Amino acid sequence: MGKVMLEVNNLKTKYVTRFHEDVYAVDGVSLKIEEGKSLGVAGESGCGKSTLALSLMGYYFAPLHYISGEIIVDGKNISNMKPNDIRRKVLGNEIAYIPQAAMNALNPTAKIINFVEDVVHAHEPKVSKKDIYDMAKQRFEILGLPEQVLQKHSVELSGGMKQRTVIAISTILSPKVLIADEPSSALDVTSQKMVIKMMRELMEKGFIKSMIFITHELPLLYNVTDDIMVMYAGQIVERGTAKEMVFDSYHPYSRGLMGSIIVPEAGVRENKLVAIPGTPPNLKKPPQGCRFAERCKYATDSCKTNKIEEVDAGNGRMYRCYMSQEKLKEVYDND
């Protein structure tokens, strides 16, 4: 077992609406990521993926609020750190974040080098501009971005170059954990491939120690990450290796995700597309039993009334379902 870069224990966070209603967007999430490993997080819109990403940084802004749980980065518990300490000591050099629509994160009136200087000076105020430029030049060129990009404004860059530039800036301090929230969703296929290749290189060259890659596409994660976990209604419903999750998932929701998208991999692409019926539950008042029960064709009365705990399937694999592995296999075989 390698060194653990990120450990999360029973993390719970919520949104508070303007009517003072609590929305439990992350409800009891636990995970571990070792050095050199990448974890994919999949699920449909509204399942809590992006909220989990924000929560993992320990830097909360209303309406998002911390409830309980631990976030341990490279052995340091950041759960109860003050916001200013999080900003100065954690964000950027311990945990880096690439948000959704990252291409819109660059101020069009500033040059790219100015963003790099701001990131570095936030943590190392005494570093000279020349040293920052030299560091940025070397890092950008390694990642396939020419030196000239540093002197350009974001409006002068293509969509793919903007995205790669944001990734380069976010990882300039070589963070322990990189959280990438759908970094390739707004790109064409060619640019997607380039971004994914670049993120792999960041891992291989040691510029980042571990990575969380968030998307709603399970097959994409199969080509990017070592492990995959599936979120539904604020909870983790299954986790396993990328191969296990794509080709032999246990949870009905994981199977529903795979069945609702076009998959190029042999052994799966022959399956017919099947939509998941219904909509996710209201997280202001989460269901008592399985949160997927109202949409699951295999659900029983017990699924809807009993609290569903995580099942340890061995070798780091888990799923959250009332049925045993044997029973799940039986219903899938007879489907």
Side-chain angles (χ1 to χ4, degrees), residues 232-300:
Y232 182 75
Q235 295 182 332
I236 304 303
V237 296
E238 187 170 0
R239 176 172 177 168
T241 66
K243 185 176 181 179
E244 289 169 340
M245 295 298 293
V246 170
F247 295 102
D248 188 29
S249 52
Y250 291 152
H251 198 280
Y253 178 64
S254 303
R255 292 220 162 200
L257 280 183
M258 284 301 302
S260 62
I261 51 181
I262 297 173
V263 181
E265 278 75 23
V268 185
R269 63 187 176 202
E270 296 85 358
N271 298 342
K272 294 182 179 179
L273 290 176
V274 180
I276 302 175
T279 57
N282 186 341
L283 292 183
K284 295 176 185 176
K285 295 181 179 178
Q288 178 180 350
C290 174
R291 297 186 177 183
F292 186 61
E294 292 298 331
R295 305 174 71 186
C296 179
K297 64 179 180 180
Y298 310 114
T300 64

Side-chain angles (χ1 to χ4, degrees), residues 41-239:
V41 182
E44 64 192 305
S45 297
C47 71
K49 305 187 303 296
S50 294
T51 304
L52 175 62
L54 294 172
S55 301
L56 291 178
M57 295 185 291
Y59 197 50
Y60 301 99
F61 288 97
L64 180 61
H65 298 268
Y66 169 80
I67 302 175
S68 62
E70 291 183 323
I71 305 168
I72 302 170
V73 183
D74 195 20
K76 296 185 285 287
N77 191 335
I78 68 170
S79 310
N80 298 312
M81 289 179 66
K82 295 179 181 179
N84 283 342
D85 290 337
I86 290 277
R87 183 175 57 81
R88 289 187 297 105
K89 299 178 181 179
V90 176
L91 301 183
N93 56 355
E94 297 288 330
I95 298 179
Y97 175 57
I98 302 171
Q100 287 192 43
M103 289 185 294
N104 300 323
L106 300 172
N107 185 334
T109 65
K111 292 182 178 180
I112 300 304
I113 186 60
N114 298 140
F115 294 105
V116 181
E117 290 171 352
D118 288 345
V119 171
V120 176
H121 279 152
H123 299 275
E124 302 288 345
K126 294 182 180 180
V127 179
S128 69
K129 288 190 175 183
K130 181 182 184 305
D131 288 341
I132 293 174
Y133 188 91
D134 291 341
M135 177 173 65
K137 173 187 172 183
Q138 181 184 39
R139 178 66 60 88
F140 273 49
E141 288 180 346
I142 288 174
L143 298 178
L145 293 164
E147 178 185 355
Q148 292 90 325
V149 169
L150 293 169
Q151 298 299 336
K152 291 182 179 292
H153 296 79
S154 62
V155 293
E156 299 178 84
L157 306 177
S158 67
M161 290 188 75
K162 282 183 188 177
Q163 187 72 307
R164 285 185 287 153
T165 296
V166 170
I167 294 172
I169 295 171
S170 300
T171 60
I172 197 70
L173 295 174
S174 299
K176 306 288 177 56
V177 183
L178 174 65
I179 302 173
D181 192 356
E182 304 212 32
S184 61
S185 60
L187 303 176
D188 58 69
V189 175
T190 302
S191 296
Q192 278 188 354
K193 184 177 180 180
M194 193 174 297
V195 166
I196 290 170
K197 181 175 180 289
M198 183 171 125
M199 297 183 79
R200 281 177 173 168
E201 289 177 352
L202 286 169
M203 292 278 292
E204 291 168 359
K205 295 178 185 294
F207 294 142
I208 56 176
K209 301 299 183 184
S210 60
M211 178 174 66
I212 296 177
F213 193 105
I214 297 172
T215 182
H216 59 278
E217 298 182 64
L218 266 173
L220 176 61
L221 294 177
Y222 175 69
N223 294 298
V224 179
T225 61
D226 300 299
D227 297 320
I228 297 174
M229 70 181 194
V230 173
M231 283 194 76
Y232 182 75
Q235 295 182 332
I236 304 303
V237 296
E238 187 170 0
R239 176 172 177 168

